[in-house]
Amino acid sequence: MSTVRQVLAGKSGAIHAIAPEAPVLEAIRAMAEHRVGALLVMRGIELLGVISERDYARKVVLLGRSSSDTPVRAIMSAPVITVTPDDSVSHCMQLMTDRHVRHLPAVEAGRVIGMVSIGDLVKWVIAEQRAQIEQLENYIRG
């Protein structure tokens, strides 16, 4: 069974975060710069929420708010749904489906150690399936 720890090991290890007081425009710029769909909202090492492109579209654009005047804390998703490094990939996918989220911070001993996205998990599952298919084909060939 594949775990969050294994998925995170295949990623860069960078944790992209923003302060709750920062303007939403800064968060959107950071997401674009890092090519990610969400940022952790943190004060020091304390995880307060997650801000995603979905939050921006639904809570700023559709409501006619100003990106430069609205603080991240006003639109972030909280409380945060988190996983542990030992949670399975299938558990994470089920959690994302049930809770309608696309990003899950991984927390170990009270500290954020990374974040997995639905894209990370799908990529992992596809790679696992390819490996299984190759093993079966090799077995069949003898």
Side-chain angles (χ1 to χ4, degrees):
M1 166 177 42
S2 297
T3 64
V4 169
R5 188 179 314 276
Q6 291 171 297
V7 175
L8 290 175
K11 294 181 68 169
S12 73
I15 295 175
H16 303 293
I18 193 156
E21 299 80 21
V24 170
L25 183 60
E26 187 178 319
I28 296 302
R29 283 185 179 138
M31 284 185 238
E33 177 185 332
H34 299 299
R35 300 175 56 94
V36 296
L39 298 173
L40 298 172
V41 181
M42 299 181 75
R43 183 176 293 119
I45 63 167
E46 181 186 9
L47 178 61
L48 303 174
V50 173
I51 180 171
S52 68
E53 294 167 333
R54 181 185 283 182
D55 292 320
Y56 175 70
R58 293 181 179 179
K59 299 172 188 173
V60 175
V61 175
L62 287 179
L63 298 178
R65 290 177 157 171
S66 166
S67 300
S68 54
D69 295 334
T70 304
V72 166
R73 73 176 171 278
I75 70 161
M76 70 182 185
S77 295
V80 185
I81 301 163
T82 63
V83 293
T84 71
D86 298 320
D87 281 328
S88 70
V89 167
S90 61
H91 169 74
C92 292
M93 292 179 89
Q94 188 65 55
L95 194 57
M96 287 177 167
T97 301
D98 293 345
R99 299 294 188 93
H100 305 285
V101 296
R102 297 177 182 175
H103 301 87
L104 293 170
V107 176
E108 184 173 44
R111 294 186 70 117
V112 175
I113 62 165
M115 183 156 57
V116 292
S117 70
I118 188 67
D120 296 330
L121 300 178
V122 168
K123 182 179 173 182
W124 183 267
V125 168
I126 289 170
E128 260 192 342
Q129 289 175 348
R130 278 191 188 130
Q132 284 181 330
I133 289 168
E134 284 180 29
Q135 287 175 348
L136 290 171
E137 286 175 343
N138 290 336
Y139 176 77
I140 291 169
R141 286 189 203 119

